[in-house]
């Protein structure tokens, strides 16, 4: 072998080019700063404070009140938590995701990143994976664990966590839907107003639509992503699931894929 062989750099081209580097960059915005523990404390307080007040606050003001919880109380408390988590965490994703694309375009970060050997599809998918994972841990997993431990400690026993885990998993899919929607909207608009305003309007619309079209188009109501909250509540309270329980799971998953592909295609047309 010749001793003066020259090593040449090899560049990987294609749709996944630069994905791992971008993934590390996006992960670092959460786990490499104080953002992760600050956001964790915020969402623990938002989603758990009501249950904490019922379990620990009321007995402080009224010692004669019930100090233990039974099986029905456990179901009711967990149901309340899942409702609060679905509501607040959905808005949390909207707020946290509104500037993921828009701000990078506005401040020139996107143009600088794309001047490196990275693909535009990697730019979008790295944000979906990294921020989706971080929001799943911070908005769902940790607050849910705190709620479970609160109720179990008060009940004096560790109740079956599987229905609780399944329910929070369903809510996670709902959050992924709004994250993918925010990424797509970020490629379409140059300000954060529409990126957060349209999901809020959509959420309100999905809550009203069953009352308007429930009898006319029941098939449409059965596939709405907002039905995931209803499904999560049925799971966590042990109710019998309807025959079409899987439809909102499939439709929401399909919409996540559509939004992601649309974001990639639209972002590919942007000029920097």
């Amino acid at each position: 072998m010749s001793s003066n062989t020259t090593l040449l750099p090899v560049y990987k081209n294609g749709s996944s080019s630069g994905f791992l580097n971008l993934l590390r960059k996006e992960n670092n915005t959460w786990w490499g700063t104080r953002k992760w523990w600050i956001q964790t404390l915020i969402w623990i307080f938002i989603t758990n404070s009501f249950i904490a007040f019922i379990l620990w606050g009321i007995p402080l003001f009224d010692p004669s009140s019930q100090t233990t919880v039974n099986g029905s109380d456990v179901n009711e408390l967990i149901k309340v938590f899942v409702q609060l988590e679905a509501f607040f965490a959905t808005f949390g994703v909207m707020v946290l995701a509104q500037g993921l694309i828009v701000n990078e375009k506005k401040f020139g970060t996107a143009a600088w990143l794309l001047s490196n050997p990275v693909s535009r599809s990697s730019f979008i998918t790295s944000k979906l994976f990294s921020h989706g994972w971080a929001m799943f841990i911070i908005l769902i997993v940790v607050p849910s664990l705190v709620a479970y431990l609160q109720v179990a400690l008060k009940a004096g026993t560790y109740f079956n966590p599987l229905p609780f885990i399944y329910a929070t998993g369903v809510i996670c899919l709902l959050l992924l839907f709004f994250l993918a929607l925010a990424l797509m909207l970020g490629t379409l608009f140059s300000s954060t107003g529409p990126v957060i305003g349209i999901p809020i309007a959509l959420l309100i619309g999905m809550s009203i639509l069953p009352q308007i079209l429930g009898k006319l188009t029941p098939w449409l109501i059965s596939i709405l992503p907002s039905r995931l909250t209803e499904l999560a509540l049925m799971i966590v309270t042990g109710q019998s699931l309807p025959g079409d329980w899987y439809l909102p799971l499939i439709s929401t998953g399909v919409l996540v894929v559509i939004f992601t592909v649309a974001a990639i295609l639209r972002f590919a047309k942007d000029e920097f």
Side-chain angles (χ1 to χ4, degrees), residues 199-264:
I200 291 175
L202 179 62
L203 183 63
I204 296 173
M206 287 192 296
S207 65
I208 298 176
L209 199 60
Q211 303 174 16
I212 301 175
L213 300 178
K215 294 183 179 180
L216 297 177
T217 56
W219 63 268
L220 177 61
I221 306 304
S222 65
I223 63 174
L224 288 177
S226 58
R227 193 168 170 232
L228 292 176
T229 301
E230 176 186 342
L231 180 61
L233 291 174
M234 289 182 178
I235 293 173
V236 81
T237 55
Q239 299 180 39
S240 298
L241 300 181
D244 60 349
W245 63 269
Y246 56 89
L247 291 180
L249 297 173
I250 296 175
S251 62
T252 304
V254 170
L255 287 172
V256 169
V257 174
I258 291 175
F259 292 160
T260 304
V261 172
I264 292 172

Side-chain angles (χ1 to χ4, degrees), residues 2-245:
S2 174
S3 60
N4 58 353
T5 302
T6 303
L7 299 178
L8 299 176
V10 176
Y11 298 99
K12 182 179 179 181
N13 296 319
S15 59
S16 62
S17 177
F19 174 77
L20 292 179
N21 287 332
L22 290 172
L23 191 66
R24 281 191 289 267
K25 167 192 171 293
E26 297 299 331
N27 279 328
N28 191 61
T29 62
W30 284 97
W31 312 112
T33 65
R34 295 179 297 176
K35 180 179 180 179
W36 72 269
W37 64 263
I38 293 176
Q39 289 293 330
T40 299
L41 292 178
I42 290 174
W43 291 104
I44 288 176
F45 175 77
I46 290 175
T47 58
N48 278 268
S49 57
F50 182 73
I51 291 179
F53 177 74
I54 293 176
L55 293 176
W56 315 104
I58 293 179
L60 291 177
F61 297 102
D62 184 10
S64 63
S65 63
Q66 183 179 355
T67 57
T68 59
V69 294
N70 53 36
S72 61
D73 294 329
V74 168
N75 283 338
E76 191 62 30
L77 287 170
I78 293 300
K79 178 182 177 181
V80 170
F81 171 78
V82 170
Q83 288 176 312
L84 292 174
E85 184 178 51
F87 178 78
F88 287 115
T90 298
F91 281 99
V93 170
M94 295 179 190
V95 172
L96 293 171
Q98 62 178 318
L100 290 181
I101 302 293
V102 171
N103 288 342
E104 297 223 14
K105 294 192 298 183
K106 181 185 299 183
F107 299 119
T109 311
W112 177 78
L113 287 172
L114 295 174
S115 66
N116 295 280
V118 299
S119 67
R120 300 197 177 205
S121 60
S122 294
F123 184 88
I124 299 296
T125 54
S126 65
K127 289 185 179 296
L128 181 67
F129 280 98
S130 59
H131 293 277
W133 175 250
M135 292 179 189
F136 169 66
I137 296 295
I138 293 173
L139 274 67
I140 299 293
V141 174
V142 176
S144 297
L145 179 60
V146 172
Y148 177 86
L149 293 176
Q150 278 199 88
V151 177
L153 182 61
K154 198 68 172 179
T157 182
Y158 291 100
F159 55 92
N160 183 11
L162 289 181
F164 192 30
I165 294 173
Y166 296 151
T168 54
V170 171
I171 295 175
C172 180
L173 181 58
L174 180 63
L175 301 191
L176 189 61
F177 166 81
F178 282 103
L179 175 59
L181 176 60
L183 293 177
M184 182 188 71
L185 293 174
T187 65
L188 296 173
F189 299 98
S190 57
S191 65
T192 58
V195 178
I196 191 172
I198 292 176
I200 291 175
L202 179 62
L203 183 63
I204 296 173
M206 287 192 296
S207 65
I208 298 176
L209 199 60
Q211 303 174 16
I212 301 175
L213 300 178
K215 294 183 179 180
L216 297 177
T217 56
W219 63 268
L220 177 61
I221 306 304
S222 65
I223 63 174
L224 288 177
S226 58
R227 193 168 170 232
L228 292 176
T229 301
E230 176 186 342
L231 180 61
L233 291 174
M234 289 182 178
I235 293 173
V236 81
T237 55
Q239 299 180 39
S240 298
L241 300 181
D244 60 349
W245 63 269

